[in-house]
Amino acid sequence: MKIAVVGLGYWGPNLVRNFQALPDVKRVMGIDKDETRLVKAKQRFPDLETSACLDDALRDDDVVAVALATPVSSHYPLGKKVLESGKHLWVEKPFTAKVSEAESLIELAERKGLKIIVDHTFIYTGAVRKMKEIVDSGELGEVYYFDSVRVNLGLFQHDVNVVWDLAPHDLSIMDHLLRERPKSVSAVGSCHVGNDLENVAYLTVFFENNLIAHFHVNWLAPVKIRKILIGGSKSMIVFDDMENSEKVKIYDKGVEVKTKEGVYEMLVQYRTGDMRSPKLDQTEALSIATAHFLDCVKHNKRPITDGISGLNVVRILEAAEKSIKQNGKEIKLHYHD
Amino acid sequence: MKIAVVGLGYWGPNLVRNFQALPDVKRVMGIDKDETRLVKAKQRFPDLETSACLDDALRDDDVVAVALATPVSSHYPLGKKVLESGKHLWVEKPFTAKVSEAESLIELAERKGLKIIVDHTFIYTGAVRKMKEIVDSGELGEVYYFDSVRVNLGLFQHDVNVVWDLAPHDLSIMDHLLRERPKSVSAVGSCHVGNDLENVAYLTVFFENNLIAHFHVNWLAPVKIRKILIGGSKSMIVFDDMENSEKVKIYDKGVEVKTKEGVYEMLVQYRTGDMRSPKLDQTEALSIATAHFLDCVKHNKRPITDGISGLNVVRILEAAEKSIKQNGKEIKLHYHD
Amino acid sequence: MKIAVVGLGYWGPNLVRNFQALPDVKRVMGIDKDETRLVKAKQRFPDLETSACLDDALRDDDVVAVALATPVSSHYPLGKKVLESGKHLWVEKPFTAKVSEAESLIELAERKGLKIIVDHTFIYTGAVRKMKEIVDSGELGEVYYFDSVRVNLGLFQHDVNVVWDLAPHDLSIMDHLLRERPKSVSAVGSCHVGNDLENVAYLTVFFENNLIAHFHVNWLAPVKIRKILIGGSKSMIVFDDMENSEKVKIYDKGVEVKTKEGVYEMLVQYRTGDMRSPKLDQTEALSIATAHFLDCVKHNKRPITDGISGLNVVRILEAAEKSIKQNGKEIKLHYHD
Amino acid sequence: MKIAVVGLGYWGPNLVRNFQALPDVKRVMGIDKDETRLVKAKQRFPDLETSACLDDALRDDDVVAVALATPVSSHYPLGKKVLESGKHLWVEKPFTAKVSEAESLIELAERKGLKIIVDHTFIYTGAVRKMKEIVDSGELGEVYYFDSVRVNLGLFQHDVNVVWDLAPHDLSIMDHLLRERPKSVSAVGSCHVGNDLENVAYLTVFFENNLIAHFHVNWLAPVKIRKILIGGSKSMIVFDDMENSEKVKIYDKGVEVKTKEGVYEMLVQYRTGDMRSPKLDQTEALSIATAHFLDCVKHNKRPITDGISGLNVVRILEAAEKSIKQNGKEIKLHYHD
């Protein structure tokens, strides 16, 4: 079977490399309007079939799936074509530029009996898979908050702000780990350089039962920070992606309320036990994701990061954008079910 | 001359120790309704004069100033008595529980020609004094953002939430370093333990010219983080108070916008030069603050952390509390001038 | 019962404070030739009995034990007097300046049925007690090496070199954890400032079965490092005393030899599992040590850090000094049994 | 002009890639007895000329230089053939297995007017080039010591011990930075796994004027440490190669001797000023080294890491091996001039 990869800029070649490595994949086709990119890709991947036109892939019966590594604005129109031509769809994050677009692609795929996978790559890393294990085990007790920081001196996207660029990583991790339905969003941000796109932003996501999630994304930080804190009643997780090893630490820290000096204050009795840092699988996340996608296609399974999880992220991004324009005004999230 | 310290719980004794160490101070009087605290204080400070009643201090002509180390709710009524009796006033942070209270104490002190100092101790640390030097030198260029994180597994106050407990430290540092007038505040928070007081909260403060400040305070974090990032157009500061040494780092990182791959993206060209970590004065902040207070009293100078700076912090705290109740709604700040 | 503390310079007052805190101790007597030190001690400890003369303590029948916080050169003559007068002996580290002195004090104490405890304070810290547990459990498998680094920009002693000043800490930890008898010592060092005393030195201690221990001590390092690595066949320990928390980490890292690329190289297959950092007891080590000493005195038990463990350290120090003078020549260690 | 690379195992392909990238290099020839390696290399480098026999390269007049990426034992016999055939010589570190071999290759190259470069890659990193600048500027004052640690859980070489495997990196850095002639060596080590090759070792190198250098190399450490401390009278350097950024830090820490408490102790008055971490050039060290080699060949310059610097390292390695067998006995170093 054959896979087509559309967009051979920065990320596309990684998809080509990983799809080529899969035993089930006979051939990979690379598609890009930019001729020079096609040449470069051909040099790096001699076996790569190339074309400037998506239709060549859609007409090709051997092509079972098409991967879109193109700007988010193109995800809906191209994704629609892909699904209508009866091919399974791989889409880079974020899934789409609008909730409505995500919903119609999901609806279309269901009608056609096709799979959609959104490339929330982090979900397939050893670190997140280990955290998922821990959260699902109930070891954290009641989850109180999810706090994420993703900042560095980084690329400025021309077409999306820092929220659409960086937050999808952490929003998808939150959605995957907590599996809770958010009620509303409050977000703020600011723009300091060139265009009108925010380069620093802070998102808050509200849930039932006082569960709260917060995200700090920044393209203009002097140091690189990639850190997630998850606080629970029984224990807490720190995920520091900048650590060479020991990226995930689980703190056996529980909270017990106790009064001290009579009425004057309550003391959070931290029942602190050991900390442990579990060994993490080092397999490249993208190779796991690509293999998982083919497995879902072949055996008609639902991808872990399917259209719904892509939609969950876009729903928050869209609300965050509205909220930022109103300096933090709470925006309710709507669900059609 | 004599100084009276009201409230001999956790912080009061530090004030006694530092005031006693000042050459100008003949005597220190310790005041607390709690007899056992008076006895404990007497043991530790044999020379300490003690009394259960503030009036003893107010009646004493040798007493030139009174320091309040009592719960915030008492700052206004006690502060009013102190000023009316013609004594200078030292108040622990936060200055007062309400903006109106702060305003009337400031007005009263001015009418009486008395000094108010709010104990924003951090302002007197070697680290903040050094950062003030750097910011005032213009080395940062245009300041873009101020980002603060102050989290750990800590004491729960019975009478105030985490915002009133922890944020004053960072708000006072921001006010001192930026000397800008905030326009509005958006804040969110959540309460997970016992009472109805938020134990985690996020504050955003909006200024003119897209300057934005953000504060993360949390009583339920598994690790202790005390970090401030200040981003400027020419260089940036990282203040990590958990570092044993090298608490302040200045990154010669400037931002230049450059387009990459034609229209597809802009690259923040980080003109990165050296980093430096300046030597910091190790003198105890409180000893500098107490000496500064007496100096202002003797030579009729305006304290660095005077009533106005105390009010600036309370104004934000009050607005933050309103905003939290409305899940992030922007609250405008008002100024009477 | 009464305890006498001789030498009220830097460390003596800590002994006074901890002995006074013990319920069994009725009174503490402070002894120093230096009048000003006696006055200072009296101010800090109003209940302290003071004297300029050790004999006052030795004549006092209530005095059951005498603690020497005096320069190492005085440990033998003073210790001898103390034991001859029938009092139990507490000695600061290092035990004595010579092996022969240590041996004769041990012999004297045994003849008199008296206890000697050497103040290897580190042995009583939560970190070392936890490491002892782990090593004794056999979790490390066969112990391969013990590597210690203790460097910073520090005090220069006038009377001893950096080996006698810093190495006793780590040598006592090694002796306590490994409980192996060293065969020989090789050491090197150098002197850069003022006097003829080495300010940087490296010690190697050889054992049976290829077990090797190494110690780096330095008074002239720009950064403070306090780190111990213990390598075993099944797992390994890292003790970093500069960490605020997580001082002890146990790495489930085993060694399996496997050949790679045929004859060309062997790969140490690191069977790496989780890392864990156990919770450590925070009690002040010196309070545990003083209580342990009294317990041994009262119930005729052998102190954990008795004369023998003090002698084990002095034996290595003496050999190291010989070896340094010969640029690393191996010096055999002798035992009288 | 053409370059031949002998040995296409782990490191050889890096040489091929970097030589191919040089404009002056028309062609690169890859040589290996192992057919499969030749095939693999050909796949990765389509333009690569390949051969199983070195003589093909030596007979080829276009080949101006031959690079040996073969086991150290082969460096002498192959290097001799290369030089005798009139080609310039690139050798991987360590230069040779014996001092005598190094000396005769140097002598041969001089007689033939050919260049030898030893691939002490670290010398060409941005970090070491920056440290060289600093040391040469005299900023450190008198250099007191050089302390290096290079440990991790790593590859076991089948043919050399950890000293020959890891120490050449740090010995070459020391030789390059200090440019002092060592007097003697003392070394110790131990072997814990499989073969008789030491997997942990400690080297000391003695110089005039109390300058001392020490090296800790270990294949069996639970954590990866790559750290060099250089102590001087005026300032000190810490090079931590595990840092993502800020690998080199210069501490403005000087030493002034001052007596404290009269005769009782001297205090190292640390005149501590700022710390700075200079920006480092990120260019791949090997690309700089290969370009430097060709530049030396074309313009008849002396390579920075020429045969002499290779010999300086081998001289210490050979002495260290002798010393290890005698548990640290000092081995004098001999120079033929």
Side-chain angles (χ1 to χ4, degrees):
Chain A
M1 84 199 187
K2 209 190 271 187
I3 306 284
V5 174
V6 187
L8 298 173
Y10 163 64
W11 192 248
N14 293 329
L15 295 176
V16 172
R17 174 171 54 80
N18 278 282
F19 278 120
Q20 280 191 341
L22 295 175
D24 292 328
V25 176
K26 291 269 154 304
R27 209 78 198 285
V28 175
M29 186 188 249
I31 292 156
D32 201 300
K33 287 196 226 61
D34 179 339
E35 185 55 39
T36 61
R37 283 183 176 177
L38 289 177
V39 173
K40 258 178 65 187
K42 193 78 186 160
Q43 283 175 326
R44 181 166 171 202
F45 307 106
D47 308 350
L48 186 71
E49 219 172 289
T50 58
S51 159
C53 172
L54 173 57
D55 295 335
D56 295 344
L58 301 186
R59 273 191 301 267
D60 184 333
D61 295 344
D62 299 351
V63 172
V64 298
V66 176
L68 301 178
T70 54
V72 58
S73 52
S74 67
H75 289 182
Y76 175 68
L78 297 182
K80 195 158 172 298
K81 282 183 68 172
V82 168
L83 293 167
E84 280 166 343
S85 70
K87 317 286 191 192
H88 299 283
L89 179 64
W90 169 294
V91 195
E92 280 314 305
K93 63 96 202 162
F95 184 18
T96 58
K98 295 212 195 77
V99 166
S100 56
E101 295 174 347
E103 287 170 336
S104 76
L105 288 181
I106 290 169
E107 186 275 331
L108 174 57
E110 264 163 21
R111 216 173 53 232
K112 292 274 210 166
L114 295 167
K115 302 294 171 197
I116 296 176
I117 191 167
V118 181
D119 184 11
H120 292 145
T121 319
F122 272 91
I123 302 307
Y124 301 93
T125 57
V128 173
R129 284 181 289 132
K130 178 59 71 174
M131 289 195 283
K132 180 65 174 168
E133 245 179 70
I134 294 159
V135 172
D136 288 354
S137 76
E139 182 178 347
L140 300 191
E142 185 190 351
V143 177
Y144 289 154
Y145 64 83
F146 180 101
D147 178 85
S148 155
V149 178
R150 182 175 299 269
V151 309
N152 70 313
L153 208 46
L155 267 185
F156 271 51
Q157 302 298 330
H158 90 298
D159 53 349
V160 296
N161 65 12
V162 71
V163 176
W164 284 82
D165 179 37
L166 298 184
H169 295 306
D170 305 295
L171 288 169
S172 62
I173 294 171
M174 172 197 77
D175 176 62
H176 180 64
L177 293 183
L178 304 188
R179 286 283 174 241
E180 295 281 348
R181 171 175 284 196
K183 288 185 312 181
S184 60
V185 171
S186 166
V188 299
S190 190
C191 168
H192 300 106
V193 180
N195 54 35
D196 298 340
L197 300 169
E198 288 77 15
N199 49 262
V200 53
Y202 301 92
L203 275 67
T204 302
V205 179
F206 298 99
F207 295 83
E208 298 295 343
N209 317 325
N210 301 325
L211 172 59
I212 188 169
H214 186 271
F215 304 83
H216 172 199
V217 286
N218 190 336
W219 277 335
L220 277 186
V223 285
K224 192 169 184 175
I225 308 177
R226 300 256 185 280
K227 201 175 245 178
I228 291 176
L229 307 182
I230 308 176
S233 57
K234 294 218 201 93
S235 64
M236 307 188 184
I237 292 175
V238 175
F239 168 43
D240 186 343
D241 207 9
M242 296 308 297
E243 284 269 338
N244 293 325
S245 54
E246 301 159 39
K247 285 175 185 289
V248 174
K249 292 177 175 177
I250 302 107
Y251 291 83
D252 177 18
K253 291 190 174 182
V255 179
E256 290 154 23
V257 176
K258 196 182 117 188
T259 53
K260 185 186 151 213
E261 298 191 16
V263 294
Y264 278 83
E265 44 193 354
M266 285 196 307
L267 182 72
V268 172
Q269 192 67 356
Y270 16 141
R271 178 192 50 66
T272 31
D274 299 358
M275 176 274 275
R276 76 179 199 278
S277 182
K279 179 190 183 183
L280 303 177
D281 176 15
Q282 301 297 328
T283 317
E284 182 184 6
L286 196 51
S287 77
I288 294 179
T290 46
H292 173 63
F293 176 52
L294 285 214
D295 181 54
C296 292
V297 164
K298 283 172 58 184
H299 306 99
N300 189 29
K301 295 183 194 162
R302 157 180 290 270
I304 295 169
T305 55
D306 62 354
I308 299 296
S309 67
L311 167 60
N312 289 340
V313 169
V314 173
R315 188 181 288 114
I316 294 170
L317 294 171
E318 196 177 79
E321 194 133 37
K322 280 208 200 77
S323 184
I324 287 174
K325 299 298 170 229
Q326 300 167 80
N327 287 340
K329 183 175 187 306
E330 179 178 23
I331 305 297
K332 304 274 180 209
L333 298 176
H334 303 294
Y335 301 85
H336 304 325
D337 56 293
Chain B
M1 84 197 190
K2 210 191 268 187
I3 307 284
V5 174
V6 187
L8 299 173
Y10 164 63
W11 192 249
N14 293 328
L15 295 177
V16 171
R17 174 171 54 79
N18 278 282
F19 278 120
Q20 280 191 341
L22 295 175
D24 293 328
V25 176
K26 292 268 153 306
R27 208 77 198 284
V28 175
M29 186 188 251
I31 293 157
D32 201 299
K33 288 195 225 63
D34 180 339
E35 186 53 41
T36 61
R37 283 181 175 179
L38 289 178
V39 173
K40 256 178 68 186
K42 192 75 186 164
Q43 283 174 327
R44 180 164 171 203
F45 308 105
D47 308 350
L48 185 71
E49 221 171 287
T50 57
S51 160
C53 172
L54 173 58
D55 295 334
D56 294 345
L58 302 186
R59 271 191 303 268
D60 184 334
D61 296 343
D62 299 351
V63 172
V64 297
V66 177
L68 302 177
T70 54
V72 58
S73 53
S74 67
H75 289 182
Y76 175 68
L78 297 183
K80 194 156 174 297
K81 282 185 68 172
V82 168
L83 292 167
E84 280 166 342
S85 70
K87 318 287 191 191
H88 299 284
L89 178 64
W90 169 294
V91 196
E92 280 315 304
K93 61 94 203 165
F95 184 18
T96 58
K98 293 210 197 78
V99 166
S100 55
E101 294 174 349
E103 288 171 336
S104 76
L105 288 182
I106 291 168
E107 186 275 331
L108 175 56
E110 264 162 20
R111 217 171 56 234
K112 292 277 212 163
L114 295 167
K115 304 292 171 198
I116 296 176
I117 193 168
V118 181
D119 184 10
H120 292 145
T121 318
F122 272 92
I123 302 307
Y124 301 93
T125 58
V128 173
R129 284 181 288 131
K130 177 59 71 176
M131 288 195 282
K132 179 66 174 167
E133 245 178 71
I134 293 159
V135 172
D136 289 354
S137 75
E139 183 178 349
L140 299 191
E142 184 190 350
V143 177
Y144 289 154
Y145 63 83
F146 180 101
D147 179 84
S148 156
V149 178
R150 182 175 298 270
V151 308
N152 70 314
L153 208 46
L155 265 184
F156 270 52
Q157 302 299 330
H158 90 298
D159 53 349
V160 296
N161 65 12
V162 71
V163 176
W164 284 84
D165 179 37
L166 297 184
H169 295 307
D170 304 294
L171 289 169
S172 63
I173 293 171
M174 174 198 75
D175 176 62
H176 179 64
L177 294 183
L178 304 187
R179 285 281 173 244
E180 296 282 347
R181 171 176 284 196
K183 287 187 311 180
S184 60
V185 171
S186 166
V188 300
S190 190
C191 168
H192 300 106
V193 181
N195 56 36
D196 298 339
L197 301 169
E198 288 77 14
N199 49 261
V200 53
Y202 302 92
L203 275 67
T204 303
V205 179
F206 298 99
F207 295 83
E208 299 296 343
N209 316 323
N210 302 325
L211 171 59
I212 189 170
H214 187 270
F215 304 83
H216 173 199
V217 285
N218 190 336
W219 277 335
L220 276 187
V223 286
K224 191 169 184 174
I225 307 177
R226 300 254 185 283
K227 201 175 244 178
I228 291 177
L229 308 181
I230 308 177
S233 57
K234 295 216 200 96
S235 64
M236 307 187 184
I237 293 176
V238 175
F239 169 43
D240 186 342
D241 208 8
M242 295 310 295
E243 285 270 337
N244 294 325
S245 55
E246 301 159 38
K247 286 176 185 288
V248 175
K249 292 177 174 176
I250 302 107
Y251 291 83
D252 177 19
K253 292 191 172 181
V255 179
E256 290 154 22
V257 176
K258 198 183 115 186
T259 54
K260 186 187 150 212
E261 297 192 14
V263 294
Y264 279 85
E265 44 195 351
M266 283 194 308
L267 184 71
V268 171
Q269 192 68 358
Y270 17 143
R271 176 191 52 63
T272 30
D274 299 357
M275 176 275 275
R276 75 180 201 277
S277 182
K279 179 190 184 182
L280 303 177
D281 176 15
Q282 301 297 329
T283 318
E284 182 184 6
L286 196 51
S287 77
I288 294 179
T290 47
H292 172 63
F293 177 51
L294 285 213
D295 181 54
C296 293
V297 164
K298 281 172 59 184
H299 306 99
N300 190 29
K301 295 183 195 161
R302 158 180 290 271
I304 295 169
T305 54
D306 62 355
I308 301 296
S309 67
L311 167 61
N312 289 340
V313 169
V314 173
R315 188 182 289 113
I316 294 169
L317 294 171
E318 196 178 80
E321 193 134 36
K322 278 207 202 76
S323 183
I324 287 175
K325 299 296 169 231
Q326 300 167 80
N327 287 341
K329 184 175 188 305
E330 179 179 22
I331 305 296
K332 304 275 180 211
L333 299 176
H334 303 294
Y335 300 86
H336 305 324
D337 55 294
Chain C
M1 86 196 187
K2 211 191 269 187
I3 308 284
V5 174
V6 186
L8 299 173
Y10 163 63
W11 192 248
N14 294 328
L15 295 177
V16 171
R17 174 172 53 82
N18 277 281
F19 278 120
Q20 279 191 343
L22 294 176
D24 292 328
V25 176
K26 290 271 153 305
R27 209 78 197 285
V28 176
M29 187 188 249
I31 293 158
D32 202 298
K33 288 196 223 61
D34 180 339
E35 186 55 38
T36 62
R37 283 182 174 177
L38 290 178
V39 173
K40 255 178 67 188
K42 193 76 186 164
Q43 283 174 328
R44 180 165 171 202
F45 307 105
D47 309 350
L48 185 71
E49 221 173 288
T50 58
S51 159
C53 173
L54 173 57
D55 296 335
D56 295 344
L58 302 187
R59 271 191 302 270
D60 185 334
D61 295 343
D62 298 351
V63 172
V64 297
V66 176
L68 301 178
T70 55
V72 58
S73 52
S74 67
H75 289 181
Y76 176 67
L78 297 183
K80 194 157 173 300
K81 282 184 67 170
V82 168
L83 292 167
E84 280 167 344
S85 71
K87 318 285 193 193
H88 299 284
L89 179 64
W90 170 295
V91 195
E92 281 314 306
K93 62 95 205 164
F95 183 18
T96 59
K98 294 210 197 80
V99 166
S100 56
E101 294 175 346
E103 289 171 334
S104 77
L105 287 181
I106 291 168
E107 186 274 330
L108 174 56
E110 263 162 22
R111 217 174 51 234
K112 292 276 214 162
L114 295 166
K115 302 294 173 197
I116 296 177
I117 192 169
V118 181
D119 184 10
H120 291 144
T121 318
F122 272 91
I123 302 307
Y124 301 94
T125 58
V128 173
R129 283 180 290 134
K130 177 59 70 175
M131 289 196 282
K132 180 64 174 170
E133 247 178 69
I134 295 160
V135 172
D136 289 354
S137 75
E139 182 178 348
L140 299 191
E142 184 189 352
V143 177
Y144 289 154
Y145 64 83
F146 180 101
D147 179 84
S148 154
V149 179
R150 181 174 298 271
V151 309
N152 69 316
L153 209 46
L155 267 186
F156 271 50
Q157 303 298 330
H158 90 298
D159 54 350
V160 297
N161 64 12
V162 70
V163 176
W164 284 83
D165 179 37
L166 298 183
H169 296 307
D170 305 296
L171 289 169
S172 63
I173 294 172
M174 173 197 76
D175 176 61
H176 180 64
L177 293 183
L178 304 188
R179 285 283 173 242
E180 295 282 348
R181 171 175 284 195
K183 288 186 311 181
S184 61
V185 171
S186 167
V188 299
S190 190
C191 167
H192 300 106
V193 180
N195 56 35
D196 298 339
L197 300 168
E198 288 76 14
N199 50 262
V200 53
Y202 301 92
L203 275 66
T204 303
V205 179
F206 299 98
F207 295 82
E208 297 296 342
N209 316 323
N210 301 325
L211 172 58
I212 188 169
H214 186 271
F215 304 83
H216 172 199
V217 286
N218 191 336
W219 277 335
L220 277 186
V223 286
K224 192 168 183 175
I225 307 176
R226 302 256 184 280
K227 202 176 246 178
I228 291 176
L229 307 181
I230 307 177
S233 57
K234 293 217 199 95
S235 64
M236 308 189 184
I237 293 176
V238 176
F239 168 43
D240 187 342
D241 208 9
M242 296 308 298
E243 284 269 337
N244 293 325
S245 55
E246 300 160 40
K247 284 175 186 288
V248 175
K249 292 177 173 175
I250 303 107
Y251 291 83
D252 177 18
K253 292 190 173 181
V255 179
E256 289 155 21
V257 175
K258 197 184 117 185
T259 54
K260 185 188 151 214
E261 298 191 14
V263 293
Y264 278 84
E265 43 194 353
M266 283 194 308
L267 182 72
V268 172
Q269 191 67 357
Y270 16 141
R271 178 192 51 64
T272 31
D274 299 358
M275 175 275 275
R276 77 179 198 278
S277 182
K279 179 189 181 183
L280 303 177
D281 175 15
Q282 301 297 328
T283 318
E284 183 183 6
L286 196 51
S287 77
I288 295 179
T290 47
H292 172 63
F293 177 51
L294 284 215
D295 180 54
C296 292
V297 164
K298 282 170 60 183
H299 306 99
N300 190 29
K301 295 183 194 162
R302 158 180 290 270
I304 295 169
T305 55
D306 63 353
I308 300 297
S309 67
L311 167 60
N312 289 340
V313 169
V314 173
R315 188 182 288 114
I316 294 170
L317 294 171
E318 195 178 79
E321 193 134 38
K322 279 207 201 77
S323 184
I324 287 175
K325 299 297 170 230
Q326 300 167 78
N327 288 340
K329 183 175 189 305
E330 179 179 22
I331 305 295
K332 303 274 182 212
L333 299 176
H334 303 293
Y335 300 85
H336 304 323
D337 56 294
Chain D
M1 86 196 190
K2 210 190 269 185
I3 307 285
V5 174
V6 186
L8 299 173
Y10 163 65
W11 192 249
N14 294 328
L15 295 176
V16 171
R17 174 171 53 81
N18 278 282
F19 278 119
Q20 280 192 341
L22 294 176
D24 293 328
V25 176
K26 291 269 154 306
R27 210 77 197 284
V28 175
M29 187 188 250
I31 292 158
D32 202 300
K33 289 195 223 62
D34 180 338
E35 185 53 40
T36 62
R37 283 181 174 179
L38 289 177
V39 173
K40 256 177 68 186
K42 193 75 185 164
Q43 283 174 326
R44 178 164 171 202
F45 307 106
D47 308 351
L48 186 71
E49 221 172 287
T50 57
S51 160
C53 171
L54 173 58
D55 295 335
D56 295 345
L58 301 186
R59 272 191 302 268
D60 184 334
D61 295 344
D62 299 353
V63 172
V64 298
V66 176
L68 302 178
T70 54
V72 58
S73 53
S74 68
H75 289 181
Y76 176 68
L78 297 182
K80 193 157 174 299
K81 282 184 68 171
V82 169
L83 292 167
E84 279 166 344
S85 70
K87 317 286 191 190
H88 299 284
L89 180 65
W90 169 294
V91 195
E92 280 315 304
K93 61 95 205 165
F95 184 19
T96 59
K98 293 212 198 77
V99 165
S100 56
E101 294 174 347
E103 287 170 335
S104 77
L105 287 182
I106 291 169
E107 186 275 329
L108 175 58
E110 264 162 18
R111 214 172 56 237
K112 292 275 211 165
L114 294 166
K115 304 292 171 199
I116 296 176
I117 192 168
V118 181
D119 183 10
H120 292 144
T121 319
F122 272 92
I123 302 307
Y124 301 94
T125 57
V128 174
R129 284 181 288 132
K130 177 59 71 174
M131 288 196 282
K132 180 65 174 169
E133 246 178 70
I134 294 160
V135 172
D136 289 354
S137 75
E139 183 178 349
L140 299 192
E142 184 189 352
V143 177
Y144 288 154
Y145 63 83
F146 180 100
D147 179 84
S148 155
V149 179
R150 181 175 299 268
V151 308
N152 69 315
L153 208 47
L155 268 185
F156 271 52
Q157 302 299 329
H158 89 298
D159 54 349
V160 297
N161 65 12
V162 70
V163 176
W164 284 83
D165 178 38
L166 298 183
H169 295 306
D170 304 296
L171 289 169
S172 63
I173 294 172
M174 174 197 76
D175 177 61
H176 180 64
L177 294 183
L178 304 188
R179 286 281 174 244
E180 296 281 349
R181 169 173 286 194
K183 288 187 310 181
S184 60
V185 171
S186 166
V188 299
S190 190
C191 167
H192 300 105
V193 182
N195 57 36
D196 298 339
L197 300 168
E198 288 76 14
N199 50 260
V200 53
Y202 301 92
L203 275 66
T204 304
V205 179
F206 298 99
F207 295 84
E208 298 296 342
N209 317 322
N210 302 326
L211 172 58
I212 188 169
H214 187 270
F215 304 83
H216 173 198
V217 286
N218 191 335
W219 277 335
L220 276 187
V223 287
K224 192 169 184 174
I225 306 177
R226 300 255 183 282
K227 203 176 241 176
I228 292 177
L229 308 182
I230 308 177
S233 56
K234 293 218 199 91
S235 65
M236 308 188 183
I237 293 176
V238 175
F239 169 42
D240 186 342
D241 207 10
M242 296 309 297
E243 284 269 339
N244 294 324
S245 55
E246 301 160 37
K247 285 176 185 290
V248 175
K249 292 177 174 176
I250 303 108
Y251 291 83
D252 177 19
K253 292 192 174 180
V255 179
E256 291 155 22
V257 176
K258 197 183 118 187
T259 53
K260 186 185 149 214
E261 297 191 16
V263 295
Y264 279 85
E265 43 194 352
M266 284 193 308
L267 183 72
V268 172
Q269 192 68 359
Y270 16 143
R271 176 191 53 64
T272 30
D274 299 357
M275 175 275 275
R276 74 177 201 280
S277 182
K279 179 191 183 182
L280 302 177
D281 176 15
Q282 302 296 328
T283 318
E284 182 183 7
L286 197 51
S287 78
I288 294 179
T290 47
H292 172 63
F293 176 51
L294 285 214
D295 181 54
C296 292
V297 164
K298 282 170 60 182
H299 305 99
N300 189 29
K301 294 183 193 163
R302 158 179 291 270
I304 295 169
T305 54
D306 62 354
I308 300 297
S309 67
L311 167 61
N312 289 340
V313 169
V314 174
R315 189 183 287 113
I316 294 170
L317 294 171
E318 195 178 80
E321 194 134 35
K322 281 208 200 76
S323 184
I324 287 174
K325 299 295 170 233
Q326 299 168 80
N327 288 340
K329 183 176 187 306
E330 179 179 24
I331 305 296
K332 303 274 180 211
L333 299 176
H334 303 295
Y335 301 86
H336 304 323
D337 55 296

